[in-house]
Amino acid sequence: MAGLIKREDVEAVRERARIEEIVSAHVTLKPAGVGSLKGLCPFHDERSPSFHVRPGVGRWHCFGCGEGGDVISFVQKIDGMGFTDAVEYLADRAGVQLRYEDSRTGAAADRGRREEPGKRQRLVEAHKVAAEFYAEQLFGPGAQAGRAFLAERSFDRADAEHFGVGYAPTGWDALLRHLQGRGFTQAELVASGLVSQGQRGIYDRFRGRLVWPIRDVTGAVIGFGARRLYDDDQGPKYLNTPETTLYKKSQVLYGIDLAKRSIAQGKRVVIVEGYTDVMAAHLSGVDTAVATCGTAFGAEHAKVVRRLLGDTTAGGGLQLASGASLGGEVIFTFDGDAAGQKAAVRAFGEDQRFHAQTFVAVEPAGMDPCELRMARGPEAVRALVDGRQPLFEFVIRTTLHTFDLDTVEGRVGALRAAAPLVAGIRDRSMQLGYARSLARWIGIDTEDVRREVARAASAPPRARRPDQDQRRDSAAGPEAAAALPVLAAPDPRDPVARLERQALIVVLQYPQHVPASFDDLGEDAFGVPAWRAVHDAVRAAGGVAAGRDVDGGRWVEAVTEQAPETVAPLVTELAVAPVPEDRESAIGAYVADVVRALVDLGLTRRIADAKSRLQRLDQEKDPAAFQQAFTDLLAIEQQRRTLREGG
């Protein structure tokens, strides 16, 4: 099967997807000097703009929160996408035909594991047309039952329009005829899942139902969820789009397109159980609510949520040089009945896929967010979420409720049932804390609990899923993250650090203006460790001589590829940093002055070293060595004199 997207196609996407256009869809950008734009960061709250975009090098960076990257990484972060999804999304927009590497032979494969961008776009367009059709039908004469369903749940027309709710007519081919009239072929409609195929041909999949469009993180409609309205409908209560190349139920979260921005900014996601619960939550001010679509919350859903939260370490908590750390809150809302408790226990199995704190919000009377809003108003929904309970505590206490703790047998049984749950908590400090709590809840000695937890931890797993310990994201796990060195941020008050930083800024942004003498600098030209690491990457990429031969985006990408993982963010930061000179005509002279000052600094440092060496030598004992050191000193001083005289 096909695997990675060909490298040259990824580069083509980077070049043809204009970063300022992509970012402008989310951030209001204003000019900020030559070739630079700035605005308010979409990833953290701020009043003064510190988010910069430099189209010439295809990079963005926020000097407030430290986030940064290229156009692909921006889409990944703003829309919660994986790398491949982001590239394919941008390829669709930019008109780039992607090719994939065959994982068995390494040869290019035109048929990837996903639909080709052109064909995929046709399916997306079919869903868009279908969503518009259903939305129009909702307010037609035949959709009274659908409108009544919404009204009974306190949703009005504006609410329906906001969420795109529609109605599928009762006939067998209303949508089919509409789509064929818009030029879609039978093969495309079957592939889309919008129609079903039987012995007598194809027909509408959804008929006589209230319909919710299910969108991906970009806002594209990729499927539908449909609720039964009529008693003579023999189908399931809820019917969803079947698995297609667009719609994978294990990866889909309803409402993600509306919630993604708030999730990324607030570092909180609320997972509810149905379409109307998402609507009720958002209309109550809980705009981070999403729901699974006809399936339990699983590993693939967890990956989507982790990306939106910025939790990319699967529990590692990578600490960045800027001091920023990953985390947030994941809140599950469940019914208070047995089914809801069972769902919470399933969620417990996914909890440790998050670095975020995980909670449960259960309404005592068993009402879901939709029912709660109808009965007590929006403030009750907000109170439900704010009154969340840690997931570990909820699951452990739910387990204890099945035992009679007034008897010795009940207490022993409760301990044996709960100890494996505590043992499964990977965070050592939390595990010890819950062991103490478990002892208190059961009413037995803490040491007895600790021994039972230790015994449960050492026991072989009985029903461990193969993906629970072995499958991981391609992103580095906690062990790898812990092994990465963290570069200390240079002191901004240090004039040497400021000069070295400014020199690297102009090297990355204006290599065409950098004097050739820069490439003669040795590995010791930069004294600040962080900037020396960036300089090493510049040298490894071929120096400014290589940068003059390619456009700005390719040059920065080449340097980034040569940089270690902890240094790459620094490259992005420097490639986007504002330049004090804002006159296009003066940029060349400014760059030359900065590089000349850096070279001067290096020569001054070498002169000091040469003088120190000369002082340590004994002219009488070793006149030859003394004379050579003196000659070297004079040569360096002459180089500096020539530089300062403009030679």
Side-chain angles (χ1 to χ4, degrees):
M1 63 182 292
L4 299 176
I5 301 171
K6 292 193 71 178
R7 180 187 179 91
E8 53 264 39
D9 291 349
V10 175
E11 293 299 330
V13 168
R14 283 197 179 98
E15 290 179 8
R16 292 172 60 177
R18 298 179 62 85
I19 190 169
E20 65 272 29
E21 293 180 0
I22 300 299
V23 174
S24 292
H26 306 275
V27 180
T28 300
L29 296 174
K30 297 180 179 180
V34 179
S36 181
L37 303 167
K38 69 178 180 180
L40 294 174
C41 180
F43 305 121
H44 81 286
D45 292 328
E46 62 177 6
R47 295 184 178 181
S48 300
S50 56
F51 181 90
H52 288 251
V53 177
R54 190 165 286 274
V57 298
R59 294 273 158 166
W60 61 276
H61 183 83
C62 177
F63 292 89
C65 66
E67 295 286 351
D70 60 10
V71 65
I72 298 173
S73 67
F74 180 82
V75 171
Q76 284 184 263
K77 185 165 182 64
I78 198 74
D79 286 330
M81 288 186 175
F83 178 81
T84 300
D85 292 319
V87 173
E88 291 177 336
Y89 166 70
L90 290 170
D92 281 348
R93 285 184 57 115
V96 176
Q97 180 70 42
L98 297 179
R99 296 164 296 168
Y100 298 79
E101 296 290 342
D102 191 298
S103 59
R104 294 166 299 182
T105 66
D110 290 328
R111 294 191 311 275
R113 59 179 177 80
R114 302 165 185 261
E115 288 296 325
E116 299 89 343
K119 185 174 181 180
R120 182 182 188 279
Q121 192 57 39
R122 286 288 293 171
L123 300 185
V124 170
E125 183 64 24
H127 279 82
K128 177 183 177 182
V129 174
E132 294 170 348
F133 173 79
Y134 289 142
E136 291 174 0
Q137 298 301 309
L138 180 61
F139 301 104
Q144 177 58 37
R147 295 193 296 273
F149 178 93
L150 293 172
E152 290 167 2
R153 288 156 181 78
S154 301
F155 299 126
D156 59 22
R157 177 168 184 156
D159 300 333
E161 290 176 344
H162 177 68
F163 290 93
V165 184
Y167 175 77
T170 55
W172 287 86
D173 61 355
L175 178 65
L176 171 62
R177 287 185 286 106
H178 181 73
L179 290 173
Q180 287 180 329
R182 296 289 293 271
F184 292 97
T185 66
Q186 179 173 318
E188 287 173 334
L189 298 182
V190 171
S192 71
L194 294 169
V195 301
S196 299
Q197 193 161 20
Q199 294 181 350
R200 298 185 179 181
I202 61 174
Y203 54 90
D204 292 354
R205 177 175 178 81
F206 306 116
R207 305 177 307 281
R209 287 177 174 252
L210 199 62
V211 177
W212 285 264
I214 300 170
R215 299 181 173 93
D216 64 14
V217 290
T218 71
V221 180
I222 58 174
F224 293 91
R227 209 278 189 187
R228 185 179 61 205
L229 294 173
Y230 303 107
D231 293 338
D232 59 355
D233 186 339
Q234 300 301 308
K237 183 176 180 180
Y238 281 95
L239 180 66
N240 288 350
T241 293
E243 292 279 310
T244 69
T245 54
L246 295 182
Y247 183 87
K248 307 292 183 185
K249 66 180 180 181
S250 64
Q251 303 171 5
V252 171
L253 290 170
Y254 174 70
I256 198 74
D257 57 309
L258 300 174
K260 63 181 181 182
R261 181 72 62 83
S262 296
I263 292 172
Q265 290 182 337
K267 298 297 183 184
R268 170 191 274 193
V269 59
V270 179
I271 300 168
V272 299
E273 293 196 304
Y275 307 119
T276 56
D277 291 331
V278 171
M279 295 175 67
H282 280 251
L283 294 172
S284 299
V286 183
D287 58 357
T288 58
V290 297
T292 58
C293 300
T295 185
F297 187 88
E300 295 300 316
H301 297 121
K303 291 179 182 178
V304 174
V305 170
R306 282 178 46 215
R307 286 197 294 265
L308 287 169
L309 290 171
D311 174 11
T312 59
T313 65
L318 177 61
Q319 188 77 17
L320 305 177
S322 63
S325 60
L326 304 172
E329 289 187 0
V330 179
I331 304 172
F332 293 92
T333 65
F334 299 112
D335 294 339
D337 57 14
Q341 293 179 358
K342 185 177 180 180
V345 174
R346 283 198 305 268
F348 178 87
E350 302 299 335
D351 170 87
Q352 296 180 80
R353 296 182 184 276
F354 301 111
H355 181 51
Q357 300 178 69
T358 315
F359 299 87
V360 172
V362 176
E363 204 284 317
M367 288 188 285
D368 58 35
C370 182
E371 295 167 334
L372 193 58
R373 174 175 173 265
M374 292 165 55
R376 303 178 194 166
E379 60 279 1
V381 178
R382 296 193 296 271
L384 170 68
V385 174
D386 291 339
R388 63 205 181 280
Q389 178 182 10
L391 177 61
F392 289 155
E393 177 180 341
F394 178 83
V395 172
I396 293 171
R397 282 183 173 273
T398 298
T399 301
L400 299 183
H401 288 162
T402 61
F403 295 90
D404 182 0
L405 300 182
D406 290 331
T407 67
V408 173
E409 293 79 6
R411 290 192 293 273
V412 171
L415 175 59
R416 289 175 178 172
L421 298 175
V422 177
I425 301 174
R426 294 178 186 169
D427 186 310
R428 178 64 176 167
S429 298
M430 290 186 65
Q431 186 186 94
L432 293 174
Y434 274 104
R436 289 191 293 269
S437 295
L438 179 59
R440 185 174 68 256
W441 294 334
I442 297 178
I444 60 178
D445 187 72
T446 301
E447 286 305 313
D448 291 338
V449 173
R450 287 180 177 175
R451 281 193 294 270
E452 188 63 29
V453 169
R455 185 160 41 246
S458 61
R462 291 177 294 175
R464 179 180 294 164
R465 297 191 310 275
D467 66 341
Q468 199 164 21
D469 290 325
Q470 298 173 19
R471 285 172 48 187
R472 294 289 183 265
D473 277 350
S474 58
E479 297 81 9
L484 295 175
V486 176
L487 291 173
D491 187 349
R493 298 168 298 180
D494 181 352
V496 172
R498 288 203 305 270
L499 175 59
E500 292 183 355
R501 178 177 186 272
Q502 204 60 37
L504 290 170
I505 287 173
V506 299
V507 163
L508 290 168
Q509 296 183 19
Y510 300 104
Q512 69 274 24
H513 295 306
V514 176
S517 58
F518 181 86
D519 283 345
D520 296 331
L521 296 175
E523 60 183 14
D524 59 346
F526 287 77
V528 177
W531 305 146
R532 187 185 307 126
V534 176
H535 181 228
D536 289 343
V538 169
R539 297 173 69 215
V544 291
R548 296 190 190 99
D549 296 333
V550 296
D551 65 54
R554 282 185 175 270
W555 165 232
V556 174
E557 185 63 27
V559 176
T560 303
E561 289 181 353
Q562 296 297 332
E565 187 174 345
T566 52
V567 178
L570 295 177
V571 176
T572 293
E573 175 186 334
L574 296 170
V576 178
V579 176
E581 179 54 68
D582 59 1
R583 295 170 298 165
E584 186 73 47
S585 60
I587 285 292
Y590 171 78
V591 171
D593 287 345
V594 170
V595 174
R596 186 178 297 111
L598 178 71
V599 175
D600 187 287
L601 176 65
L603 291 172
T604 301
R605 188 184 296 125
R606 289 176 60 195
I607 289 172
D609 293 342
K611 286 182 177 179
S612 175
R613 182 170 182 270
L614 192 64
Q615 290 174 354
R616 295 193 304 271
L617 291 172
D618 190 323
Q619 185 176 7
E620 295 183 356
K621 291 183 178 180
D622 194 349
F626 184 89
Q627 183 59 43
Q628 183 60 53
F630 184 70
T631 302
D632 292 343
L633 173 59
L634 292 178
I636 300 171
E637 287 180 334
Q638 180 58 45
Q639 289 181 45
R640 186 175 66 175
R641 188 160 44 250
T642 302
L643 177 70
R644 290 180 174 181
E645 292 173 354

